[in-house]
Amino acid sequence: MSEAFRSLIILFILIFALSYAENTGLLCAFTRFIIFRSNLKYIFHMTALASVISGASGNGGAGFAVMMCAAVFKSLGADPRVGVIMGYAAAAFGRYVCILISPADVFLILPSNILRSFNGLSILSIIQLLPFTGLASVVFVFALVYISGHIVSPFIKVFFPGPRVKADVSFLSSVALTPKEKRGLLFAAAALAFQTILCIFVFFLYPDLFAGLLPYSLFFIFFLTSVLYGIGSGTITDVRVFLYYVRLAISLNCVSPGIIFLIIAAPFSIPYPISSNLLFRFVIMIADMLCPFSRSFKFALSMFNFYNTGVCKKATAKDMLFMLLPYALTIIVLFAVAFAVHSLYSP
């Protein structure tokens, strides 16, 4: 019973910390930092990775990923409509499988722990799936760029022919980091460095205390780093603004309809937790990505048609679903490989 209660506490504080990081602008600034610090040769890959990370912050992150990818593609002379599709697919993936912690990690594994504790089963850690989620994110980033350039782009050129796209670097100004945001990231980096040193100090001198605080480490990483970023960037100017972002974080804007289904699916993941988590995660991820009624899907479709200048035919939800199919099939292959590997090597 105590383990179930502890898992419930961790559940809420992780949701709060993730939402607070998104509201203060830390995740948004960090994803843009990744793009502008990357080599031009790999800018499409880094944009895809930034979109995956951005997707972890929910529908707002998905909208930002769509605009960011479109701006990067347009600035380099590539079709921004391809960027819209890639940004949406990347954010939909990042909502459930991210190189960082994703809402799916919080909403599926921790409720499962509560139910497992009632049944006398061992408690799982989010860290158990981090090797898979990290590797899957990297593999999918390369798949995103390949599919976008070799499958989606030719499809758009055939069915939605339009004027030739010229490189326009001015489009990057919309996602460029401001001096205040750069200062905020420096503050955030200092906070991370301080927490790292503190963790090493506690680990060597007080190992028992370190083991007790480890489940809450992600909360401190997201929350304290977000607060320092807000102070450095000028987002947080006084206690009232700090409390305002607390209220926004409690509203749980990182929650999407698909995440709610994950909570419902949690009881079914008790017998074989890792396999079941993967199964429900991927099934719901594909359903959420291909749902034409979601807010992020409608926004991506409207952005696609916004860049459809000079084209008589406008894209419909059916067209967008067809363009998303290669990404969905790639996700299915990723899941099949992960499930096979786990089945072979699980005890």
Side-chain angles (χ1 to χ4, degrees), residues 88 291-304 320:
Y88 174 77
C291 177
F293 306 106
S294 69
R295 189 173 64 184
S296 54
F297 185 98
K298 293 178 180 177
F299 177 77
L301 181 59
S302 65
M303 288 297 295
F304 185 93
M320 187 166 170

Side-chain angles (χ1 to χ4, degrees), residues 7-37:
S7 294
L8 187 62
I9 293 175
I10 296 174
L11 169 66
F12 283 109
I13 64 175
L14 281 180
I15 297 168
F16 169 79
L18 185 66
S19 185
Y20 197 88
E22 195 274 332
N23 282 306
T24 56
L26 174 61
L27 291 181
C28 178
F30 177 66
T31 54
R32 286 181 290 158
F33 174 79
I34 291 176
I35 295 174
F36 286 100
R37 296 294 294 180

Side-chain angles (χ1 to χ4, degrees), residues 24-205:
T24 56
L26 174 61
L27 291 181
C28 178
F30 177 66
T31 54
R32 286 181 290 158
F33 174 79
I34 291 176
I35 295 174
F36 286 100
R37 296 294 294 180
S38 61
N39 190 305
L40 191 62
K41 182 180 178 181
Y42 302 105
I43 191 167
F44 289 122
H45 296 83
M46 298 309 292
T47 303
L49 178 61
S51 299
V52 169
I53 296 173
S54 182
S57 57
N59 287 321
F64 173 73
V66 166
M67 294 188 293
M68 176 175 60
C69 286
V72 171
F73 272 63
K74 177 70 174 176
S75 67
L76 297 177
D79 195 331
R81 297 171 297 178
V82 180
V84 168
I85 301 299
M86 188 183 83
Y88 174 77
F93 184 86
R95 193 176 304 159
Y96 298 91
V97 178
C98 185
I99 199 167
L100 303 176
I101 185 175
S102 70
D105 294 316
V106 178
F107 279 98
L108 183 53
I109 296 178
L110 291 176
S112 298
N113 277 346
I114 298 172
L115 296 169
R116 286 174 63 80
S117 66
F118 287 141
N119 289 270
L121 300 174
S122 60
I123 301 300
L124 293 170
S125 170
I126 289 178
I127 300 174
Q128 287 181 271
L129 280 181
L130 283 183
F132 162 75
T133 55
L135 181 60
S137 299
V138 173
V139 171
F140 192 64
V141 161
F142 285 94
L144 278 167
V145 177
Y146 181 85
I147 293 171
S148 301
H150 294 81
I151 299 177
V152 176
S153 182
F155 173 86
I156 292 176
K157 288 179 181 177
V158 172
F159 291 95
F160 300 96
R164 292 180 61 86
V165 181
K166 296 181 180 179
D168 188 355
V169 184
S170 64
F171 270 73
L172 278 180
S173 61
S174 60
V175 293
L177 288 166
T178 65
K180 288 185 177 180
E181 288 175 324
K182 291 179 181 178
R183 187 172 65 247
L185 287 175
L186 286 175
F187 275 59
L192 279 175
F194 173 76
Q195 291 176 76
T196 302
I197 295 172
L198 185 62
C199 285
I200 295 174
F201 176 80
V202 174
F203 174 77
F204 283 106
L205 294 183

Side-chain angles (χ1 to χ4, degrees), residues 172-287:
L172 278 180
S173 61
S174 60
V175 293
L177 288 166
T178 65
K180 288 185 177 180
E181 288 175 324
K182 291 179 181 178
R183 187 172 65 247
L185 287 175
L186 286 175
F187 275 59
L192 279 175
F194 173 76
Q195 291 176 76
T196 302
I197 295 172
L198 185 62
C199 285
I200 295 174
F201 176 80
V202 174
F203 174 77
F204 283 106
L205 294 183
Y206 307 99
D208 294 335
L209 178 62
F210 179 82
L213 292 177
L214 187 60
Y216 305 93
S217 59
L218 287 173
F219 165 75
F220 292 108
I221 290 173
F222 278 106
F223 181 66
L224 296 181
T225 306
S226 302
V227 172
L228 265 293
Y229 168 82
I231 295 173
S233 64
T235 306
I236 299 176
T237 54
D238 52 40
V239 177
R240 287 182 301 174
V241 177
F242 170 80
L243 294 176
Y244 169 74
Y245 284 117
V246 169
R247 182 173 62 84
L248 284 181
I250 295 174
S251 67
L252 305 184
N253 59 337
C254 63
V255 180
S256 66
I259 299 295
I260 301 300
F261 281 110
L262 282 179
I263 300 176
I264 299 174
F268 301 97
S269 65
I270 295 176
Y272 306 99
I274 294 182
S275 298
S276 298
N277 275 311
L278 292 177
L279 174 62
F280 289 118
R281 187 186 299 234
F282 275 83
V283 169
I284 296 173
M285 180 198 305
I286 294 173

